[in-house]
């Protein structure tokens, strides 16, 4: 399936218009100055595709505008390759654009040197440390980096073959999971699908051939279901927008590989999903009621209310699966426009709101009534990474922590009070306990999941409520727990405290 990637327009005016449309307070004069500055600095330089280097900078700025970033990020995107590849220095950038933008560009220049491919050389480890340090200082650095990587993936065909695979692998292993952790679902899916054919060419071709008729049918189902749902909701007086999407190729492939699916596409229920987009949050529940009245709920797939309990990355939506008119299963995701934007661009959209707020263009009321999304706290896992990187002295262990704990596929579980925690797949109640607090881990005596007793080695699933039963007299964990815990955090704490 060939995708239409909206390659960025080549003109600065189109970019400025795009930015004004979501952020009227943006400093477009500054952005235009940065564009001219970067064009001058890179004068005469060409990319391997034959295009002038400034087109790369402009493409990145366009993606950042698509993701609703603030002025400083967009300027940093325009300037990101200047200190490394031209005679202009960071000092000169600070002189022209100020300290905030200098720091962003500095962070980008530092993380540029990170190479996952190759061995555990000291350089690699040091750079990975720097990357997480830069991220924990300012998340915008990694978002600009994602835009940079996204454009490089779109133009990967121009690179020599031996470089393509390394870059694609890095994208799949580090950058796509990072995008997911930042709540940037659409970016994650696109990065994966761009990397997929380079990393697994045979499997990609197999999947394309195998799924072609199904994807064709899926597009037709979307059209038909869209019409039908709009009509049914309109009859009840509910005006909504409906968007359809087919599952991205890489995520479909991963799902087909699960043992229970046995490479059989008929076992995949979310090949087609329809997004029902309402104006107000309460209308989401109204829409849900109407959908369940008209089509029968699939009992074993159930309903997930991520509006009442958002995922740790900020994601909100109600998910339900129903038997459609033809007896097949269709997935619905019901959300407001703000939640929809949040699902696509996640934390990225936070900064332009902060920028507008600082210029008194919006107040917290606009945020409270759901017109805008604004995360109320910095994402916990980034702080966690920063804490680890200072805590862990052994470099090998640091790399393993990052790879295994932070970037592996995650499950979401809840405390009895309803606080959400994300953990790697395969986590046990003991991993959960240490994630909440070291003392809780050390005093763990038993665990309940959804109200029933389970063993401490029980494998948790997304959506479960985990209650840890403690023994206050207990001061030490048991070394036997090391046989089943999966997080490096729990392993480390058990080793430290079991003595
Ligand atoms: Mn670049």
């Amino acid at each position: 399936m060939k995708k239409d990637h909206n390659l960025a327009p080549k003109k600065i005016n189109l970019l400025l218009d795009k930015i004004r449309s979501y952020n009227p307070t943006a400093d477009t004069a500054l952005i235009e100055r940065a564009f001219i500055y970067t064009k001058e600095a890179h004068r005469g330089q060409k990319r391997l595709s034959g295009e002038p280097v400034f087109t790369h900078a402009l493409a990145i700025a366009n993606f950042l505008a698509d993701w609703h970033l603030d002025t400083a990020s967009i300027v940093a995107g325009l300037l990101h390759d200047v200190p490394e590849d031209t005679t202009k220095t960071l000092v000169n950038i600070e002189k022209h654009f100020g300290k905030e933008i200098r720091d962003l560009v500095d962070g980008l220049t530092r993380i540029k040197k990170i190479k996952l491919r190759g061995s555990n050389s000291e350089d690699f480890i040091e750079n990975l440390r720097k990357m997480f340090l830069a991220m924990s200082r300012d998340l915008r650095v990694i978002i600009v980096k994602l835009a940079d990587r996204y454009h490089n993936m779109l133009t990967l065909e121009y690179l020599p073959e031996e470089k393509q695979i390394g870059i694609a692998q890095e994208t799949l292993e580090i950058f796509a999971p990072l995008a997911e952790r930042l709540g940037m679902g659409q970016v994650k899916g696109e990065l994966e699908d761009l990397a997929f054919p380079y990393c697994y060419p045979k499997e990609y071709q197999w999947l394309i051939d195998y799924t072609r008729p199904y994807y064709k049918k899926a597009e037709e189902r979307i059209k038909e279901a869209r019409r039908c749902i709009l009509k049914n909701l309109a009859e009840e007086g509910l005006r909504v927008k409906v968007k359809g999407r087919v599952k991205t190729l890489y995520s479909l492939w991963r799902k087909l590989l699960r043992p229970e699916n046995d490479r059989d596409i008929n076992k995949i229920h979310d090949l087609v999903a329809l997004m029902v987009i309402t104006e107000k949050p309460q209308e989401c529940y109204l829409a849900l009621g109407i959908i369940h009245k008209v089509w029968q709920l699939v009992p074993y797939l159930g309903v997930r209310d991520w509006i009442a309990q958002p995922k740790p990355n900020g994601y909100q939506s109600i998910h339900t699966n129903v038997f459609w008119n033809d007896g097949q299963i269709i997935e619905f995701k019901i959300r407001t426009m703000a939640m929809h934007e949040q699902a696509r661009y996640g934390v990225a959209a936070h900064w332009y709101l902060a920028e507008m707020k600082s210029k008194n263009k919006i107040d917290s009321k606009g945020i409270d009534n759901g017109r805008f999304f604004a995360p109320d706290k910095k994402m916990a896992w980034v702080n966690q990474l920063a804490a680890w990187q200072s805590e862990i002295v052994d470099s090998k262990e640091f790399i393993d922590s990052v790879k295994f704990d932070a970037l592996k596929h995650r499950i979401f579980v809840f405390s009895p009070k309803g606080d959400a925690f994300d953990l790697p797949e395969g986590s046990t109640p003991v991993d959960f306990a240490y994630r909440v607090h070291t003392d809780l881990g050390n005093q763990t005596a038993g665990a309940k999941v959804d109200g029933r007793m389970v063993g401490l080695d029980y494998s948790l699933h997304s959506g479960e409520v985990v209650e840890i039963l403690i023994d206050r007299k207990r001061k030490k964990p048991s070394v036997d727990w090391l046989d089943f815990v999966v997080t490096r955090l729990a392993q480390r704490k058990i080793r430290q405290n079991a003595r």
Side-chain angles (χ1 to χ4, degrees), residues 287-306:
L288 181 73
I290 297 166
I291 289 168
H292 284 171
K293 208 171 78 185
V294 182
W295 295 279
Q296 198 207 326
L297 169 74
V298 183
Y300 55 90
L301 293 176
V303 180
R304 273 281 163 76
D305 185 352
W306 296 112

Side-chain angles (χ1 to χ4, degrees), residues 6-9 11-24 26 28 58-69 74:
N6 58 334
L7 274 168
K11 299 225 161 62
I12 181 71
N13 284 339
L14 296 175
L15 170 67
L16 300 182
D17 286 346
K18 192 190 280 183
I19 296 166
R20 280 187 203 105
S21 73
Y22 69 88
N23 182 5
T28 46
L58 188 57
I60 290 170
N62 265 288
F63 295 139
L64 293 170
D66 288 336
W67 306 345
H68 290 186
L69 264 294
I74 292 170

Side-chain angles (χ1 to χ4, degrees), residues 56 80-81 148:
H56 168 62
H80 79 284
D81 280 333
D148 181 33

Side-chain angles (χ1 to χ4, degrees), residues 205-223:
Q205 199 48 53
W206 171 80
L207 189 69
I208 290 280
D209 294 340
Y210 172 50
T211 57
R212 189 172 289 124
Y214 294 94
Y215 270 110
K216 204 168 157 251
K217 237 186 279 167
E219 299 285 357
E220 287 160 18
R221 280 166 68 71
I222 286 177
K223 250 195 234 163

